[in-house]
Amino acid sequence: MPIKRKFYRERESAPDFERRRKRVCRFCEEKIKTINYLDERFLKRFVNERGKIVPRRISGNCALHQRMLTTAIKRARHIAIMPFTSEIYR
């Protein structure tokens, strides 16, 4: 037990946690209210190399825009604008 206490004290006082910059939703910054599912080039920014949708903790989107983005990507996939997986993993 004493080892764990020491570990938590070190993590709480680590300077890396204090220096992290807060992510801001780029859609909210640019005041974008709709996401066009036909714009493949724009949607590709939010999909990783395996074809998965990038989570909001990494992309920095707010919950509302992440839901809108996910719906747009899924619509684009459904009408075959975007692939479900990349060429490498097929």
Side-chain angles (χ1 to χ4, degrees), residues 10-90:
E10 288 175 4
R11 286 191 74 182
E12 288 175 358
S13 63
D16 293 338
F17 290 107
E18 296 170 5
R19 278 191 262 154
R20 281 191 183 168
R21 206 177 91 203
K22 185 178 179 184
R23 291 180 184 256
V24 179
C25 177
R26 64 179 80 172
F27 296 105
C28 291
E29 272 187 341
E30 297 172 9
K31 297 182 181 178
I32 295 174
K33 294 189 177 181
T34 58
I35 299 172
N36 187 7
Y37 63 91
L38 300 174
D39 191 3
E40 181 196 1
R41 293 181 69 197
F42 178 74
L43 295 177
K44 272 190 170 182
R45 293 184 207 163
F46 300 99
V47 176
N48 66 11
E49 67 272 358
R50 298 194 86 176
K52 291 183 171 185
I53 299 170
V54 176
R56 69 181 213 143
R57 68 181 161 82
I58 294 171
S59 66
N61 295 333
C62 66
L64 175 71
H65 285 113
Q66 182 69 22
R67 270 184 258 126
M68 291 169 63
L69 183 70
T70 302
T71 305
I73 290 171
K74 287 179 180 178
R75 281 182 183 158
R77 284 175 178 167
H78 189 72
I79 61 173
I81 292 174
M82 288 183 70
F84 282 92
T85 60
S86 63
E87 289 286 330
I88 299 168
Y89 296 104
R90 285 185 187 169

Side-chain angles (χ1 to χ4, degrees), residues 1-14:
M1 278 301 213
I3 295 170
K4 280 188 174 180
R5 286 184 188 157
K6 185 179 178 183
F7 176 72
Y8 285 123
R9 284 184 192 150
E10 288 175 4
R11 286 191 74 182
E12 288 175 358
S13 63

